[in-house]
Amino acid sequence: MNEQTLPLSGVRVLDLSRVLAGPQCAMVLGDLGAEVIKVEHPQRGDDTRDWGIKVGETQTTYFNSVNRNKRSVTVNLQSDAGRQVVLDLAKQSDVIIQNFKFGGAEKLGIGYQQIREVKPDIIYCSIAGYGTNGPEATRPGYDLVVQGESGLMSINGESSQPPLKFGVAVVDMFTGMYSAQAVLAALYSRQRTGEGRHIQMALYDCGVMISSYYGLESLLMKKDPPRFGNAHPSIVPYGVFDALDGRLVITVGNNSQFQRFCCDVIDRQDLANDPRFATNLERTKHRTELLAEINAEVAKRPRQQLLETLTAAGIPNGEVLGIYDALSSERSAQAGLLHQYSDPQAGDVKVLAPPYRFDSHRLPLRRPPPSLGEGTNDVLQDLLGMDDHQISALRSDGVI
């Protein structure tokens, strides 16, 4: 698939954001074919260039996770010349993404109204911690804080343990994805109307959205729903089980599957005949008694044997892998989920590939995560028409 056939080919995105939610949004657009220009501080770059494990000279695993398919341009936004560079780039862009602190973009002269003066049909996406018109507008947004405030931590983990954060920054990541959806809708709207939009996203709003059916259940019950850890709140047996030599997932989704599970997998006809377990509603009521029997049976058998008998019985299942084993698996390799590129300092480096497939083809990784400022000269020359003397002067003044 060449660049001209990518869904967002011809769309230019100016990514003024940093850390995770904003960069995730911009990366999604880049994965779909947009040209993404990431603007960073000339010395330190994005904060995440200092997070995680170092890769090469200016990259890290954290940075690389949300910055593929971008170019890096370094600009000092505190300077008048730097602000002018951004305004000039904005004139030639379709989308701007920013997540400055409340009022920060306006103070720098690159807020929505200021950008709109030079680019009336701009699609401008602002990402904040909380609603910009509410009483908490000035509060900074942090994923872990919002996980706590939105109730997400209260539904995660085992009932015997205290509230637990998710293993990755889910609020940031979902906010980035929701923001990308909004940008796509605004691009479609602009095609019909010719008008730009100001999109305003909040981490707290998106954190609440992630609560999904658990959130609705809590409102109905007027209390927190119970936590079931790796088990399902409404389906039994359905969860993670310990076999003789490893963990596996078993998902018995209906009554006929339960009959086959008892008879063909764990050889317990008595459980299949027990009226306490005849339907899922009854199994849920008698969850503790049933799971005690099932856990004992599963623990006697090797994992591979269980995987094979479950598959033969038509019951969905899978092994529980560590993340390294999962990413190193033949399944991931066949799916083309990893892309390897060569870094001058780090050598061969792997990065996740875009998850999107169009017409049976995975969208390509056109650019690996950029080193700090790798695209500064080319972008200023190609888009703004600057010559070597002008670029050298900006660099001497600390603007780029």
Side-chain angles (χ1 to χ4, degrees):
M1 184 177 290
N2 60 52
E3 291 202 24
Q4 285 70 36
T5 62
L6 295 174
L8 292 184
S9 176
V11 173
R12 181 173 293 129
V13 177
L14 193 58
D15 181 11
L16 305 179
S17 67
R18 60 212 183 280
V19 186
L20 192 55
Q24 173 92 23
C25 172
M27 183 178 71
V28 169
L29 302 174
D31 287 346
L32 293 171
E35 176 191 0
V36 180
I37 300 171
K38 181 178 179 68
V39 175
E40 302 184 70
H41 188 277
Q43 280 75 51
R44 60 177 180 270
D46 190 305
D47 294 348
T48 59
R49 289 189 184 273
D50 193 38
W51 296 7
I53 300 174
K54 193 172 181 61
V55 178
E57 187 173 339
T58 62
Q59 294 148 268
T60 64
T61 50
Y62 206 113
F63 176 87
N64 285 359
S65 71
V66 288
N67 286 291
R68 61 178 176 250
N69 285 328
K70 299 181 184 182
R71 308 207 68 175
S72 171
V73 173
T74 55
V75 179
N76 181 358
L77 296 175
Q78 301 289 340
S79 66
D80 291 339
R83 181 177 65 255
Q84 189 59 53
V85 167
V86 169
L87 290 174
D88 290 341
L89 289 173
K91 293 176 186 177
Q92 302 189 49
S93 298
D94 300 286
V95 179
I96 290 180
I97 302 165
Q98 66 90 2
N99 59 353
F100 291 102
K101 293 179 181 178
F102 181 78
E106 289 74 17
K107 184 177 180 180
L108 292 170
I110 52 175
Y112 172 61
Q113 295 299 336
Q114 293 153 320
I115 294 291
R116 194 180 178 191
E117 290 179 5
V118 299
K119 179 69 173 177
D121 65 345
I122 194 71
I123 293 166
Y124 190 100
C125 181
S126 300
I127 299 175
Y130 306 86
T132 53
N133 296 322
E136 297 184 296
T138 60
R139 288 187 67 197
Y142 287 87
D143 177 275
L144 183 56
V145 173
V146 174
Q147 283 199 41
E149 292 178 336
S150 65
L152 288 178
M153 291 171 62
S154 74
I155 63 174
N156 194 38
E158 300 287 344
S159 59
S160 59
Q161 298 175 337
L164 182 68
K165 79 175 186 69
F166 285 69
V168 293
V170 292
V171 173
D172 276 335
M173 295 172 70
F174 268 78
T175 302
M177 297 296 288
Y178 282 135
S179 299
Q181 292 174 7
V183 169
L184 293 174
L187 284 168
Y188 180 73
S189 174
R190 192 179 70 173
Q191 277 192 323
R192 293 184 292 109
T193 67
E195 297 179 359
R197 293 291 186 97
H198 186 193
I199 299 165
Q200 294 164 296
M201 304 294 297
L203 268 66
Y204 181 76
D205 298 358
C206 296
V208 169
M209 291 300 104
I210 300 172
S211 69
S212 188
Y213 51 87
Y214 265 123
L216 296 183
E217 287 179 8
S218 72
L219 292 173
L220 189 63
M221 298 186 300
K222 293 183 170 54
K223 63 178 182 179
D224 287 350
R227 284 184 289 154
F228 291 96
N230 288 323
H232 196 286
S234 306
I235 307 175
V236 179
Y238 194 113
V240 176
F241 296 85
D242 289 319
L244 184 64
D245 56 350
R247 292 187 173 91
L248 76 160
V249 174
I250 301 173
T251 61
V252 178
N254 55 50
N255 296 330
S256 61
Q257 286 184 1
F258 180 71
Q259 292 290 317
R260 297 197 300 274
F261 174 72
C262 293
C263 300
D264 301 338
V265 178
I266 61 173
D267 195 25
R268 288 291 301 272
Q269 182 71 51
D270 60 309
L271 297 179
N273 295 338
D274 193 319
R276 296 175 300 169
F277 313 136
T279 67
N280 182 67
L281 288 175
E282 290 299 316
R283 291 193 294 275
T284 303
K285 291 179 185 177
H286 302 283
R287 172 193 300 266
T288 302
E289 305 96 294
L290 177 58
L291 289 180
E293 296 290 341
I294 292 176
N295 286 333
E297 293 295 339
V298 170
K300 298 175 184 177
R301 295 166 169 78
R303 179 167 68 175
Q304 188 57 40
Q305 175 190 323
L306 285 164
L307 294 170
E308 292 172 1
T309 55
L310 286 162
T311 299
I315 299 170
N317 65 89
E319 54 191 337
V320 177
L321 298 175
I323 193 167
Y324 174 77
D325 286 341
L327 292 179
S328 303
S329 69
E330 183 63 24
R331 181 181 294 114
S332 293
Q334 289 180 351
L337 288 171
L338 295 174
H339 177 91
Q340 183 167 293
Y341 67 96
S342 180
D343 180 270
Q345 285 79 36
D348 291 336
V349 177
K350 291 181 178 179
V351 66
L352 297 177
Y356 311 100
R357 299 188 200 208
F358 281 72
D359 304 319
S360 301
H361 296 285
R362 186 178 299 284
L363 297 187
L365 191 142
R366 296 170 291 120
R367 294 181 181 277
S371 58
L372 181 61
E374 60 79 29
T376 302
N377 284 16
D378 289 343
V379 169
L380 297 186
Q381 289 173 348
D382 296 343
L383 296 187
L384 304 187
M386 292 188 182
D387 58 29
D388 291 341
H389 176 74
Q390 290 172 302
I391 293 174
S392 294
L394 289 175
R395 186 163 277 114
S396 297
D397 292 338
V399 175
I400 60 174

